[in-house]
Amino acid sequence: MDSQQLRRIEAPRPADWFFKESVTVIAPHGEANVIISGEPLGPGISVDRYADIQGELLAAEFPGFHQEFFEPTVVFGHHLGYLRQFSWRPPDGVPVTQLQCYAVEESRGYTGTATTPATAFSRHEHVLRWVLVNASIDG
């Protein structure tokens, strides 16, 4: 596996707007993907609170949400954060398993979400974890 650095995207921003960036890594044939995104947070929101908020949203919005584990770990290269594994059943009826990790740096929240059909998770788990751990959110 290799690591590829992407060019940063820049755009002008009106004063009352905010930046939310993302990058997507897709497996051959589209069977799995990882989306890493960053967003502004209110002052003083810790990684603990950010991860809790994300968990509350998942439980409220994902039909059949089942959390398999939630643990502190190192993510995005060297940031202390959290990793959650969960499954749920989207409206199309194909169950998925996801890994989601969280980090906070300088009032920005970062989320990495790895997704694959539940039946393919064991085939892709190693690569999905590798992407989440080794992605970088450093400027």
Side-chain angles (χ1 to χ4, degrees):
M1 290 183 246
D2 71 359
S3 180
Q4 183 179 27
Q5 184 172 349
L6 301 175
R7 292 187 177 270
R8 185 164 48 172
I9 298 170
E10 294 185 13
R13 179 182 61 93
D16 58 343
W17 292 32
F18 62 89
F19 284 111
K20 183 172 183 175
E21 67 279 358
S22 69
V23 64
T24 303
V25 180
I26 304 170
H29 310 294
E31 191 175 55
N33 68 69
V34 179
I35 300 171
I36 299 167
S37 61
E39 63 185 335
L41 298 177
I45 294 182
S46 67
V47 68
D48 302 301
R49 182 64 187 130
Y50 185 60
D52 287 345
I53 291 167
Q54 296 305 311
E56 292 164 8
L57 292 171
L58 294 170
E61 295 178 12
F62 285 20
F65 174 81
H66 172 71
Q67 182 169 288
E68 293 157 24
F69 69 78
F70 177 70
E71 61 191 22
T73 191
V74 174
V75 295
F76 302 128
H78 65 276
H79 295 272
L80 295 178
Y82 287 92
L83 179 66
R84 170 181 282 123
Q85 182 176 321
F86 59 97
S87 58
W88 64 288
R89 183 179 293 273
D92 68 5
V94 177
V96 297
T97 298
Q98 293 183 289
L99 294 169
Q100 195 168 74
C101 66
Y102 317 97
V104 170
E105 182 177 281
E106 297 178 6
S107 296
R108 291 192 70 75
Y110 295 91
T111 303
T113 305
T115 306
T116 190
T119 56
F121 183 73
S122 63
R123 279 195 313 277
H124 296 289
E125 180 179 10
H126 177 74
V127 174
L128 297 175
R129 287 176 178 273
W130 179 81
V131 172
L132 292 173
V133 168
N134 290 291
S136 174
I137 59 172
D138 296 326

